[in-house]
Amino acid sequence: AQSVTQPDIHITVSEGASLELRCNYSYGATPYLFWYVQSPGQGLQLLLKYFSGDTLVQGIKGFEAEFKRSQSSFNLRKPSVHWSDAAEYFCAVGAGNTGGFKTIFGAGTRLFVKA
Amino acid sequence: GAVVSQHPSWVICKSGTSVKIECRSLDFQATTMFWYRQFPKQSLMLMATSNEGSKATYEQGVEKDKFLINHASLTLSTLTVTSAHPEDSSFYICSARDAMGPNSPLHFGNGTRLTVT
């Protein structure tokens, strides 16, 4: 069965420092991978997605992610974190077939940014 | 971009009453919408897939008679929590795709905070 693992429950980084959030997936076929961000009390916003082509994908707000099939990973990165990046980040995999598509979410990683 | 509107953003109700939550796709048609539930500091758990013009598909462990889903049009799905109890208090989020296929991202509403007293 498909699953998504985000090993870090929370991460704290200093403003201006680089960031990497880890994500590992389990899926038997070609994965469709996403990163979403959620601000407190809000819905989720798509940061970026991958389903084919270049394994390094660029997203909004300066985020990027790299798909590594050999490691079953899709880690999210940002070279310089801003205080406004503090939020909950969810990695997700799209799975299914023509009978129905589902999006499976990881447990999330909460990012804290310190001045 | 595709916008999903969810209403209300928060609701407080008494135990035993029913609450209806609306999810609308504002600028696209959504034959399928998804309802998630999120507990504090936890991930989103898929409750059900709402299909326009047909019955919803519920995930294992979700009571279909308690969480009634109606998807009467291509732009509106509703979730009704019937006979609500305090344990139903949670954050409910709807989402929809503006295209078919697992590579199409979900567009989310801003969620509804339900508190049952």
Side-chain angles (χ1 to χ4, degrees):
Chain A
Q2 53 271 15
S3 65
V4 179
T5 302
Q6 293 180 248
D8 305 304
I9 297 175
H10 57 81
I11 283 182
T12 300
V13 298
S14 298
E15 190 170 18
S18 62
L19 168 71
E20 182 169 33
L21 302 182
R22 297 183 292 166
C23 172
N24 292 96
Y25 67 90
S26 174
Y27 186 54
T30 301
Y32 300 88
L33 298 162
F34 308 88
W35 274 99
Y36 290 88
V37 60
Q38 183 183 33
S39 297
Q42 299 287 314
L44 278 70
Q45 180 184 23
L46 178 70
L47 286 176
L48 48 79
K49 64 178 180 179
Y50 168 82
F51 54 91
S52 67
D54 193 346
T55 56
L56 182 64
V57 293
Q58 304 296 320
I60 62 171
K61 304 183 180 183
F63 286 92
E64 66 178 27
E66 186 171 12
F67 170 62
K68 293 185 177 180
R69 185 184 296 275
S70 61
Q71 299 178 18
S72 297
S73 69
F74 189 57
N75 294 349
L76 181 71
R77 300 194 294 251
K78 186 170 184 177
S80 178
V81 169
H82 188 262
W83 66 266
S84 60
D85 293 324
E88 186 89 21
Y89 291 81
F90 293 97
C91 182
V93 60
N97 50 42
T98 52
F101 302 117
K102 297 181 182 180
T103 300
I104 309 300
F105 288 86
T109 298
R110 180 162 294 279
L111 172 65
F112 297 94
V113 180
K114 59 181 180 180
Chain B
V3 178
V4 174
S5 175
Q6 190 171 340
H7 178 81
S9 56
W10 60 270
V11 58
I12 301 173
C13 71
K14 293 185 177 181
S15 185
T17 62
S18 295
V19 173
K20 179 184 286 188
I21 303 170
E22 293 187 348
C23 180
R24 295 180 184 273
S25 56
L26 296 186
D27 49 2
F28 66 99
Q29 293 183 332
T31 56
T32 304
M33 292 185 174
F34 303 89
W35 288 96
Y36 289 86
R37 181 174 182 177
Q38 186 179 32
F39 292 99
K41 300 182 180 180
Q42 294 189 27
S43 187
L44 285 74
M45 299 301 296
L46 180 64
M47 298 175 65
T49 301
S50 172
N51 304 297
E52 188 268 335
S54 64
K55 292 182 179 180
T57 303
Y58 290 82
E59 295 301 299
Q60 190 173 8
V62 178
E63 299 176 61
K64 62 180 181 181
D65 295 329
K66 180 165 189 62
F67 299 99
L68 299 179
I69 292 173
N70 183 278
H71 195 154
S73 76
L74 287 172
T75 59
L76 174 64
S77 175
T78 60
L79 169 68
T80 301
V81 183
T82 63
S83 187
H85 289 91
E87 57 265 31
D88 298 324
S89 299
S90 190
F91 193 57
Y92 294 87
I93 308 176
C94 73
S95 67
R97 290 193 176 94
D98 58 1
M100 292 298 292
N103 58 318
S104 299
L106 293 170
H107 303 284
F108 287 86
N110 281 334
T112 297
R113 172 75 58 195
L114 170 62
T115 301
V116 184
T117 62

